[in-house]
Every structure is written in C-alpha cells, then in structure tokens.
Amino acid sequence: MTTIVIGVGNRDRGDDAVGPIVCDRLRARSGAVRTFVCEGSILDLGLRWEPDDHVVIVDAMQPGTAPGRVVTVDATVDPLRTPGAVSTHEIDVSVAVELARATGRMPAQLLVIGIEAARTEWGAAPSAAVDAAIDTVVDRLADQLPVDR
C-alpha cells in the first residue's frame, strides 16, 4: 500500500493553486510523502495509482460564500456527482474519479479535499483565507498520513 497526495490546480490562477501548494508544503515538511502535481489534463488521474493505494486529491472548489472552507469527500464510498462541486476546472476531479470508477481503476481509499476559492484570476496570488486553509489541510495530512519507507 502506498499513500499518494495528488495536487490538482494551476499555480498561475490565484486560489486554483491549492493542490500544487499543498503538495509543495507536504514535501517540505516530510520528503517521505509521495506527491504528484497535476497542472494539466486530469482525465488520466486513474492511471496515477494502483488498486491497493490510499489516495488524497486536493483541488480548489468553485468560489462561493465561504472562501477557505474545506470539504472532504470519501470518494471510495460516495460518488462525486456534481461537476464543479470539488473543482474549478471544466473537466473536473469528479469526472476523472468517476471515469476511474467506471473503468475499474479505483484505489483502496480515495479522499477528495476541496478548498473553496475566493479568486482564480490569472496572475493572482492565493487569498489569505485560502492560504490559511492550505496550512490547515497540510497540518491535517501530515498528522494523518502514513509515511512510506
């Protein structure tokens, strides 16, 4: 069993950078955590893990009324039915996860963590509320994830 944290997002679009930033901060804290940053197409996410892996996907959620709000969904148990609920991308995490489910490529455990964005404009820095939420997610993951040796 391997634990993998996958950060989805674009470092150049403000709060959309949450996934890559979480991976960066986890690696800085513990180089033993396996991470993968996905800044391009996510349709092949299901090829990034094996059936016995434990996977955490971190992505920005569509801006709403509570920037920085963290939502965790156990996609092993619950289907991700609502595009846009856990992603800011046209082809979002829910589509990639459900494609993996339909093709028999689900890992043993799959948690999807979404952080509600405030802004995703090109060239913007992450907002203060989202940056604080990133730290909360990194702390939680660092405390909970087994370290691969």
Side-chain angles (χ1 to χ4, degrees):
M1 186 254 327
T2 300
T3 299
I4 306 165
V5 177
I6 299 174
V8 176
N10 187 316
R11 295 176 194 273
D12 296 323
R13 287 189 53 219
D15 294 338
D16 190 48
V18 297
I21 292 172
V22 165
C23 287
D24 293 346
R25 291 182 187 175
L26 271 174
R27 276 193 306 270
R29 186 181 267 191
S30 171
V33 175
R34 185 171 166 203
T35 63
F36 173 75
V37 172
C38 182
E39 293 189 80
S41 173
I42 62 171
L43 283 178
D44 66 347
L45 277 183
L47 301 176
R48 304 289 175 187
W49 57 70
E50 296 301 323
D52 60 340
D53 289 341
H54 288 212
V55 178
V56 178
I57 298 174
V58 182
D59 193 11
M61 296 187 313
Q62 290 290 336
T65 59
R69 177 176 62 106
V70 177
V71 174
T72 303
V73 176
D74 185 343
T76 313
V77 177
D78 301 315
L80 299 176
R81 291 176 230 148
T82 310
V86 192
S87 186
T88 60
H89 310 282
E90 300 241 350
I91 297 176
D92 70 8
V93 168
S94 67
V95 173
V97 168
E98 294 312 314
L99 179 61
R101 188 183 320 275
T103 59
R105 291 286 309 158
M106 287 294 283
Q109 180 180 30
L110 177 56
L111 298 178
V112 178
I113 300 175
I115 300 175
E116 185 175 324
R119 61 178 178 237
T120 58
E121 298 84 20
W122 286 99
S127 64
V130 169
D131 195 53
I134 290 169
D135 284 337
T136 299
V137 168
V138 169
D139 289 344
R140 187 172 83 192
L141 290 174
D143 291 343
Q144 293 178 356
L145 291 177
V147 176
D148 297 325
R149 302 246 185 249

